[in-house]
């Protein structure tokens, strides 16, 4: 069977429901991992997804953060937060098992400014994510780590690497954190299939015509363990959704696997 999985930072799920449901209908995506839902659990629009025959799990908070997984298939397990109970970063990390594949959806902190407490918090979060993988999963098993990492890994992942290097989202300390995650046993599925630059998943609202001017960042990722990466057949960034009326500042990242 083919499995299509996608990641999308919605920047308020209630503001993007038409975009999300329309995209799901058009693409027949099997699993969608969503970040920055910005709603309390009681306000999550689960019914809209259920009407489309999707299962959904979510953990959120009012106005900030929030993560969810939408799936055509039932969830075999569900954990939220680093503690599994949703009390420790539950609105930034949700993990489940679908079709015997562990799927971890994360919304890594943005970091604000280099040198601030928020930036230190981001680096610590990356370290904690590595430990979470190490303590709870095996790199020899099928696993997908996806979401808004808030880090562009390589020079070709930002529109102006010389001037942006050292800033939040493209800083050497962040890159060290990503490399440590990757060294645990993960492969960047998009880069496995696409070597070109100018492929971005985030375009800042504050930059006029940023999409047309290709002034973006690749901050959203789908990584997988080798046993699953070997079964990946394609990956892309759907830029069209970023051009719609009232879009998120991010767009959909997609990967397909032949299982």
């Amino acid at each position: 069977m083919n499995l299509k999985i996608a990641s999308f930072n919605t920047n308020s799920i209630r503001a993007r429901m038409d975009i999300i449901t329309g995209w799901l209908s058009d693409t027949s995506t099997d699993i969608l991992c969503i970040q920055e839902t910005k709603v309390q659990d009681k306000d999550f629009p689960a019914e809209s997804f259920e009407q489309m025959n999707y299962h959904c799990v979510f953990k959120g908070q009012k106005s900030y953060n929030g993560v969810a997984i939408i799936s055509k298939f039932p969830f075999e397990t569900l954990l939220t937060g680093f503690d599994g109970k949703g009390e420790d970063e539950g609105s930034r990390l949700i993990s489940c098992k679908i079709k015997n594949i562990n799927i971890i959806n994360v919304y890594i902190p943005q970091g604000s400014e280099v040198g601030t407490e928020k930036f230190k918090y981001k680096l610590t979060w990356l370290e904690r994510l590595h430990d979470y993988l190490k303590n709870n999963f095996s790199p020899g098993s099928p696993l997908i780590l996806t979401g808004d990492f808030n880090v562009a890994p390589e020079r070709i992942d930002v529109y102006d690497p010389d001037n942006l290097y050292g800033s939040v989202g493209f800083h050497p300390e962040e890159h060290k954190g990503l490399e440590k995650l990757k060294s645990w046993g993960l492969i960047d599925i998009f880069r496995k299939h696409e070597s070109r630059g100018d492929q971005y998943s985030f375009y800042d609202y504050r930059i006029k015509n940023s999409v047309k001017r290709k002034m973006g960042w690749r901050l959203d990722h789908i990584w997988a363990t080798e046993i699953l990466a070997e079964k990946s057949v394609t990956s892309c960034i759907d830029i069209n959704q970023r051009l719609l009326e009232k879009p998120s500042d991010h767009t959909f990242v997609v990967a397909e696997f032949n299982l």
Side-chain angles (χ1 to χ4, degrees):
M1 64 169 284
N2 269 24
L3 180 75
K4 182 185 288 187
I5 183 169
S7 178
F8 180 49
N9 179 321
T10 187
N11 193 5
S12 178
I13 192 166
R14 287 185 290 186
R16 320 291 174 213
M17 279 303 292
D18 287 346
I19 289 177
I20 295 170
T21 55
W23 188 83
L24 286 173
S25 295
D26 291 342
T27 62
S28 298
T29 295
D30 298 301
I31 301 168
L32 175 62
C33 295
I34 302 173
Q35 308 85 41
E36 211 171 354
T37 58
K38 294 185 177 180
V39 292
Q40 300 176 81
D41 289 348
K42 67 181 182 67
D43 297 321
F44 187 88
E47 186 175 338
S48 295
F49 294 113
E50 290 165 357
Q51 289 174 353
M52 298 177 68
N53 296 317
Y54 282 94
H55 305 269
C56 51
V57 289
F58 44 87
K59 183 67 175 177
Q61 64 185 87
K62 187 176 181 180
S63 302
Y64 295 96
N65 303 333
V67 285
I69 301 176
I70 314 300
S71 171
K72 287 183 177 179
F73 312 107
F75 299 96
E76 299 165 28
T77 61
L78 173 65
L79 299 169
T80 54
F82 287 118
D83 61 345
K85 301 176 182 178
E87 297 176 4
D88 183 1
E89 300 289 356
S91 61
R92 285 189 178 273
L93 187 155
I94 189 166
S95 170
C96 66
K97 183 176 282 189
I98 300 172
K99 291 287 185 180
N100 206 37
I101 299 171
N102 287 301
I103 298 173
I104 305 168
N105 176 25
V106 296
Y107 176 42
I108 294 174
Q110 192 270 341
S112 186
E113 295 181 17
V114 175
T116 64
E117 288 302 313
K118 288 184 177 181
F119 187 70
K120 293 177 184 177
Y121 166 56
K122 180 179 189 176
L123 298 179
T124 300
W125 214 98
L126 287 166
E127 184 71 28
R128 294 190 70 195
L129 181 57
H130 170 268
D131 293 344
Y132 177 77
L133 290 171
K134 182 179 178 181
N135 295 332
N136 294 283
F137 303 96
S138 165
S141 64
L143 178 145
I144 292 173
L145 174 67
T146 187
D148 180 359
F149 292 9
N150 262 314
V151 184
E154 304 175 57
R155 288 178 59 85
I156 59 174
D157 294 323
V158 292
Y159 69 92
D160 187 359
D162 291 332
N163 286 323
L164 292 172
Y165 186 73
S167 60
V168 171
F170 194 55
H171 190 279
E173 289 300 314
E174 295 170 324
H175 292 155
K176 286 181 183 178
L178 281 195
E179 282 303 315
K180 188 170 183 178
L181 277 176
K182 189 174 285 186
S183 68
W184 175 80
L186 293 167
I187 294 169
D188 183 337
I189 300 302
F190 181 80
R191 278 289 163 239
K192 180 176 186 290
H193 296 281
E194 180 58 76
S195 60
R196 293 180 301 155
D198 294 341
Q199 305 288 297
Y200 309 127
S201 63
F202 167 81
Y203 295 86
D204 197 326
Y205 288 136
R206 296 169 296 181
I207 300 176
K208 187 176 181 180
N209 295 323
S210 59
V211 180
K212 293 180 180 178
R213 296 163 65 189
K214 296 185 177 180
M215 298 178 70
W217 304 58
R218 190 171 73 95
L219 302 179
D220 306 86
H221 305 280
I222 299 174
W223 290 8
T225 49
E226 184 175 2
I227 192 172
L228 200 54
E230 290 175 348
K231 298 177 181 179
S232 67
V233 292
T234 187
S235 183
C236 68
I237 297 172
D238 187 350
I239 194 62
N240 294 325
Q241 306 307 306
R242 184 59 179 82
L243 297 169
L244 297 178
E245 186 176 353
K246 296 182 179 178
S248 170
D249 43 1
H250 295 252
T251 194
F252 296 85
V253 178
V254 187
E256 291 189 52
F257 299 84
N258 187 345
L259 305 179

